[in-house]
Amino acid sequence: MPKPDLIIFDCDGVLVDSEIVAARVEAELLREAGHEITPEELAQHYAGLTFRDILMKIEKEAQILFKATIIEECEALVDKRLRAEVKAIPGTAEAVQGLGIPHCICSNSSTQRIEAMLTRTRLLPLFEGVIYSSLETPTKLPKPAPDVFLHAAKEKGADPANSFVIEDSVHGITGARAAGMRVIGFTGASHTHPLHADMLMEAGAETTISRMADLNKTIEALSSFAADI
């Protein structure tokens, strides 16, 4: 049976249960700035985006201007909370160790934050040297742009059409599909919601899983037939 060239993992909400932690901090800061939103609403509508992009969308939608320092304040608070609270998604280490396929991370988070989270969750040895942050690619364009995915494929010598991406957000799936890659949606983190799987499928995921224990057999099953990208 043919094997993929590369398996690409998003980090937040796929490898580590960090989206809800960040959403709680971001929602608190937004409420203090006059925009009422819950962490659950924030995670559902804006998961996968940088906080800068979230602010830009809210400013446009709600006609509100935020203070210039809110981004730096948020980044510092999120980093502090993640260092103290973030946990690995159950079964992640076993799933990655059982792949037998080249793999990497493509994320909108900074390499520093990713490494800090993976260090706390003891996942870093599985991804040392294969962490790609959109902030550090040649274009620096975050998802939903496809740039970080294409950069990783080039670095790893992989054919995008024979690469799988594991994503928990619509924005990440949009970027992966634009890169010509196949996508498995993941709904096993704390920020998941009743419509999560449907949203990921509508964005272009071929299927969704809610447990990392199902990852390898899902990749094996999907690898047995070609997808219409």
Side-chain angles (χ1 to χ4, degrees):
M1 183 177 294
K3 284 190 175 182
D5 290 352
L6 181 65
I7 306 298
I8 298 176
F9 292 88
D10 180 36
C11 184
D12 298 280
V14 173
L15 299 175
V16 295
D17 203 359
S18 56
E19 287 282 9
I20 194 64
V21 177
R24 287 169 183 152
V25 173
E26 292 164 356
E28 182 178 346
L29 289 173
L30 289 170
R31 289 195 300 270
E32 290 176 355
H35 182 71
E36 288 298 322
I37 191 168
T38 67
E40 292 74 20
E41 290 170 336
L42 192 67
Q44 179 173 347
H45 296 293
Y46 302 108
L49 292 179
T50 64
F51 189 54
R52 181 185 298 276
D53 285 341
I54 292 172
L55 290 177
M56 290 176 62
K57 283 183 172 292
I58 293 176
E59 284 184 337
K60 184 177 180 180
E61 294 164 0
Q63 298 295 302
I64 185 172
L65 291 177
F66 298 103
K67 60 183 181 181
T69 58
I70 192 171
I71 295 176
E72 291 182 3
E73 183 180 355
C74 181
E75 292 298 311
L77 287 172
V78 169
D79 281 336
K80 181 179 179 180
R81 291 281 293 274
L82 289 173
R83 285 194 297 269
E85 299 177 21
V86 74
K87 297 179 181 179
I89 297 294
T92 293
E94 294 81 1
V96 175
Q97 288 167 342
L99 281 174
I101 301 169
H103 57 274
C104 68
I105 290 173
C106 285
S107 174
N108 276 348
S109 291
S110 67
T111 298
Q112 182 179 12
R113 176 177 289 177
I114 296 167
E115 289 181 344
M117 292 190 294
L118 296 184
T119 297
R120 173 177 164 79
T121 55
R122 301 182 180 179
L123 296 174
L124 185 59
L126 298 174
F127 293 99
E128 284 188 300
V130 289
I131 297 171
Y132 301 101
S133 167
S134 64
L135 303 174
E136 295 151 26
T137 60
T139 64
K140 295 181 170 52
L141 290 175
K143 306 171 191 177
D147 300 43
V148 67
F149 296 114
L150 293 172
H151 175 72
K154 182 179 180 181
E155 288 290 307
K156 300 297 291 181
D159 179 1
N162 196 35
S163 300
F164 279 92
V165 177
I166 320 303
E167 270 285 355
D168 70 303
S169 76
V170 168
H171 304 290
I173 290 174
T174 300
R177 291 285 293 178
M181 297 178 176
R182 303 177 69 176
V183 187
I184 297 171
F186 185 72
T187 62
S190 295
H191 68 287
T192 195
H193 51 86
L195 297 178
H196 196 177
D198 289 341
M199 290 172 62
L200 300 186
M201 292 292 289
E202 288 173 7
E206 292 183 46
T207 190
T208 64
I209 59 173
S210 60
R211 305 186 312 153
M212 272 297 170
D214 297 327
L215 177 63
N216 291 350
K217 65 182 181 182
T218 302
I219 292 172
E220 183 177 346
L222 293 178
S223 296
S224 65
F225 64 89
D228 181 18
I229 298 295

